[in-house]
Amino acid sequence: AAAGLGAGSGWAGSRLRPAGGWRRFASVNKAKEEAAAGPTEEGSQPTPPVLAPTLELPRNLVVRGLDDVEDGDLPAMSGGFSGRPRDGILEADALRSCAPYIHRHRGSSMLVHLPGHVIDDTEAFSSVMDDLALVRLLGVRLVIVLGCRKLIDDGVRARGHEPVFANGIRITDEETMRVVKQAAGAARFEVESMLSKGFQAIPGGSGCNVVGGSGFFTAQPVGVRDGVDYGFTGEVRRVEAARIHERLDAGDLVVLTGVGHSASGTTFNVRSTDLAASVAIAMQATKLVFIMGAGDVLVDADTNKQVQNLRLKDAKMLFGSEDCRDACSAEDEPATARQKRWQWVGCSSVEAVERGVRRAHLVSPNRGALIAELYTRDGYGTMISGDVYDGLRHARPQDVESILRIVKPLSKSGVLKVRNRELVEETIDQYHVCTRDEAVVACGQLTQYGAYAEIGAMAVVPEYRGHGRGEAVLNYLERTACSWGTKYIFVLSTVTMEWFIERGFVEVPVSKLPEERQAIYDNERKSKVYMKKLLDERQVDADELFWDIGTF
Ligand SMILES: CC(C)(COP(=O)(O)OP(=O)(O)OC[C@H]1O[C@@H](n2cnc3c(N)ncnc32)[C@H](O)[C@@H]1OP(=O)(O)O)[C@@H](O)C(=O)NCCC(=O)NCCS
């Protein structure tokens, strides 16, 4: 399923490509060892392992697990939600803040992928199962896909063999296939019994019927590729989405494993991350959730903070590039299990979101993490969201004409201040445009004054108004301002105040403007000033959850 992802979108050739590229991602621990060893032979300090940069909002991302992080050097994690009383007082506000999410998610279909190493870890497994039982009781239609990689590897080794992979894909011979079936059966049994325990642990919870089996999808062989015969390794041929929905409508919970049958009755071993993405796409699930390793986080190395959200475009560059895949399947520099997991999970998330799943979430198996991720604003993991900003981009010099065409009539009627061609040409770097079929249909300008950013020239072509484009431009500008590290965003307006007030801006006196901006305030125009404290990026994303992007 990963094939083709990132083709043309990778950052191979990008000027942002860091020295070492993906090879450095494939050697997080190696880089740590190098760092501990001091300067390299050439006398230069080794660069930290870089996962990938982003295009418009350059960030320096790394994957970290707890064992990679020095004491006291833990990335700042988002708060999460314990739901427990603190100092004897129930966190009523926390509960209240969850209410919109509970309402939003009730009745929606979600797909959760649970990897074998979590099933194998008693504490993590029981925590995730308790959380899943609660999610189900809160009315979510749940499909769980089980990964068995660890169980299969252990089973193969127990028979005195080493698991065999080529290009990162398992080669499944007849004996391995027998192990796969046993592992899948055992994993399903464990999940069912833990789930019923989870349901019983919630007083008043009624539990639900768990259904599974291989009738929900068909498989086909991967076959022989580049001279390698993958044996019984398969891929998804078709997902019986209607059958799955039927079971969910009946109130059941569906549990799937990667064991699938072909039309001719042969059994194949399908990679579970691919299966999860295929099922989520076929069902058009609202969310695809991957449970990651305990303590595994994606970190912005510049800020040492957990990356809470990734736009699809950024995720595609991270996980979809050829370099990334090469690094994870390279024979000479074998990636660790963690790196491979991030790679496959990332590719599957990108594919799912590209093909209609609204959001993918990468969450640790800590107790409550899944609940915090789904039902709180801050979340707990990393969210990959579809591009509601499709068509929004930085303006280019050739956009000057279109921008002038939009703003000139508004300047004439006094809605916007007057901007001549020279001024727009000089400041074109500050403009952002929204396009449809290459035509510019909206624009906005963003100017930074230290901790403040000013929105200007914000306008939508009249025939395109009322479809959320104004809101999308505003959020895009807010997100860009967030990425600059600014704390406040403001706009000067003479007639459109209500629109901004409804979007969280409040009127402030001119004296609240940064001094630099006060100095050029137009006393004749007497615009009013509206200001808003910026949310962090994740909160901007959370707000978008409530947009009706279908009409955009
Ligand atoms: C303000 C503007 C950018 C909004 O763009 P848009 O794409 O129509 O915005 P959205 O679709 O996101 O929002 C539409 C909603 O805003 C409302 N709205 C539009 N203009 C408004 C105004 N001046 N005051 C209050 N509400 C307004 C619409 O009635 C609609 O409300 P509804 O959803 O309840 O029907 C657009 O109307 C515009 O270009 N106006 C002229 C330029 C301007 O005033 N720019 C601001 C300079 S400070």
Side-chain angles (χ1 to χ4, degrees):
L5 278 180
S9 69
W11 47 283
S14 155
R15 68 190 168 82
L16 291 167
R17 182 189 169 118
W22 268 102
R23 295 284 159 181
R24 305 217 59 90
F25 165 54
S27 53
V28 173
N29 287 317
K30 199 171 149 220
K32 254 193 82 190
E33 280 162 25
E34 285 171 3
T40 56
E41 262 177 29
E42 292 81 33
S44 60
Q45 286 287 347
T47 44
V50 173
L51 184 54
T54 59
L55 263 185
E56 296 225 356
L57 312 172
R59 280 188 291 182
N60 188 8
L61 307 177
V62 293
V63 167
R64 283 192 191 158
L66 289 181
D67 51 329
D68 288 328
V69 184
E70 302 293 344
D71 280 351
D73 189 29
L74 272 172
M77 300 279 285
S78 49
F81 170 58
S82 67
R84 291 198 197 115
R86 194 172 50 194
D87 300 332
I89 302 165
L90 178 70
E91 292 181 72
D93 280 345
L95 190 57
R96 213 188 317 273
S97 69
C98 294
Y101 296 93
I102 295 173
H103 174 70
R104 178 85 189 178
H105 298 328
R106 178 174 293 137
S108 68
S109 307
M110 290 187 198
L111 195 135
V112 178
H113 176 270
L114 192 61
H117 62 89
V118 170
I119 299 173
D120 209 35
D121 174 339
T122 317
E123 201 188 324
F125 184 40
S126 114
S127 300
V128 175
M129 285 296 115
D130 286 354
D131 282 4
L132 281 171
L134 181 56
V135 171
R136 174 66 192 78
L137 289 174
L138 287 170
V140 172
R141 295 149 55 92
L142 266 186
V143 179
I144 304 175
V145 172
L146 307 180
C148 300
R149 175 174 283 238
K150 166 116 186 17
L151 305 178
I152 298 167
D153 287 351
D154 290 350
V156 169
R157 289 195 183 104
R159 291 174 180 231
H161 307 294
E162 261 311 296
V164 186
F165 294 88
N167 301 312
I169 302 172
R170 186 189 299 280
I171 296 177
T172 313
D173 60 15
E174 220 165 293
E175 192 174 356
T176 306
M177 193 63 225
R178 275 195 289 276
V179 176
V180 170
K181 287 181 197 166
Q182 280 170 8
R188 216 190 116 188
F189 175 79
E190 290 293 334
V191 165
E192 281 186 31
S193 63
M194 274 302 228
L195 266 178
S196 63
K197 225 169 101 188
F199 286 129
Q200 279 162 18
I202 301 168
S206 55
C208 77
N209 192 25
V210 179
V211 296
S214 53
F216 294 108
F217 73 99
T218 48
Q220 62 190 20
V222 165
V224 181
R225 292 186 190 175
D226 296 331
V228 179
D229 184 350
Y230 288 91
F232 293 97
T233 298
E235 54 193 17
V236 179
R237 179 176 180 188
R238 189 184 142 85
V239 175
E240 303 298 336
R243 204 172 287 173
I244 295 175
H245 278 300
E246 220 172 79
R247 295 321 318 155
L248 297 177
D249 290 346
D252 295 345
L253 189 152
V254 178
V255 176
L256 303 175
T257 67
V259 175
H261 303 303
S262 70
S264 67
T266 312
T267 308
F268 289 100
N269 169 30
V270 175
R271 185 164 46 214
S272 60
T273 49
D274 291 353
L275 176 64
S278 301
V279 175
I281 292 164
M283 293 174 59
Q284 286 293 286
T286 51
K287 286 185 188 297
L288 169 59
V289 181
F290 285 103
I291 307 294
M292 307 302 290
D296 271 2
V297 281
L298 186 64
V299 174
D300 184 328
D302 291 336
T303 60
N304 201 33
K305 281 192 177 155
Q306 184 191 10
V307 177
Q308 292 185 308
N309 66 291
L310 272 178
R311 308 306 307 182
L312 179 59
K313 192 173 61 181
D314 295 340
K316 260 169 100 165
M317 288 200 308
L318 264 170
F319 302 116
S321 73
E322 296 290 343
D323 284 6
C324 166
R325 267 178 286 141
D326 287 353
C328 286
S329 56
E331 301 297 331
D332 59 330
E333 194 177 2
T336 65
R338 168 184 300 139
Q339 289 153 358
K340 277 197 179 125
R341 211 160 51 234
W342 276 84
Q343 159 67 9
W344 296 125
V345 159
C347 281
S348 296
S349 301
V350 164
E351 189 184 14
V353 174
E354 262 190 322
R355 294 179 56 192
V357 175
R358 285 283 279 276
R359 278 161 170 69
H361 298 256
L362 281 46
V363 191
S364 79
N366 301 3
R367 179 167 290 275
L370 182 63
I371 303 297
E373 180 67 9
L374 298 179
Y375 295 103
T376 68
R377 248 188 163 206
D378 286 344
Y380 198 85
T382 297
M383 172 167 78
I384 299 172
S385 38
D387 237 336
V388 289
Y389 297 124
D390 215 11
L392 268 155
R393 61 167 171 79
H394 234 111
R396 303 168 187 144
Q398 53 269 40
D399 297 321
V400 170
E401 201 61 52
S402 312
I403 293 170
L404 285 169
R405 209 174 305 127
I406 297 174
V407 299
K408 264 192 173 162
L410 292 161
S411 302
K412 249 189 189 162
S413 59
V415 175
L416 296 179
K417 76 169 192 197
V418 178
R419 290 167 175 81
N420 61 29
R421 175 180 301 275
E422 289 70 38
L423 187 63
V424 177
E425 273 173 359
E426 265 172 36
T427 53
I428 191 69
D429 278 354
Q430 299 173 355
Y431 283 82
H432 302 265
V433 292
C434 177
T435 60
R436 182 159 188 197
D437 298 335
E438 299 295 306
V440 174
V441 295
C443 61
Q445 184 186 9
L446 198 64
T447 315
Q448 188 175 6
Y449 296 93
Y452 296 78
E454 177 178 6
I455 294 174
M458 212 188 112
V460 177
V461 171
E463 53 272 36
Y464 285 97
R465 287 181 195 164
H467 294 286
R469 279 189 181 77
E471 182 114 31
V473 172
L474 177 65
N475 275 268
Y476 184 80
L477 296 180
E478 286 186 13
R479 182 184 298 284
T480 306
C482 277
S483 75
W484 292 347
T486 53
K487 299 272 178 275
Y488 296 92
I489 195 159
F490 66 88
V491 63
L492 271 64
S493 178
T494 50
V495 293
T496 322
M497 40 278 274
E498 274 304 305
W499 192 82
F500 288 102
I501 288 170
E502 282 171 21
R503 281 149 188 86
F505 286 74
V506 289
E507 188 178 348
V508 296
V510 176
S511 59
K512 287 277 181 194
L513 288 176
E515 274 176 22
E516 222 184 318
R517 183 64 182 86
Q518 280 185 49
I520 51 168
Y521 177 78
D522 184 343
N523 277 311
E524 276 182 24
R525 202 168 146 75
K526 288 204 169 31
S527 305
K528 294 190 172 181
V529 182
Y530 298 88
M531 201 172 274
K532 180 176 176 178
K533 191 170 187 316
L534 280 171
L535 302 167
D536 66 31
E537 281 184 64
R538 172 70 182 225
Q539 289 177 319
V540 177
D541 257 333
D543 281 354
E544 287 164 9
L545 188 72
F546 295 95
W547 291 9
D548 181 9
I549 58 169
T551 57
F552 181 66

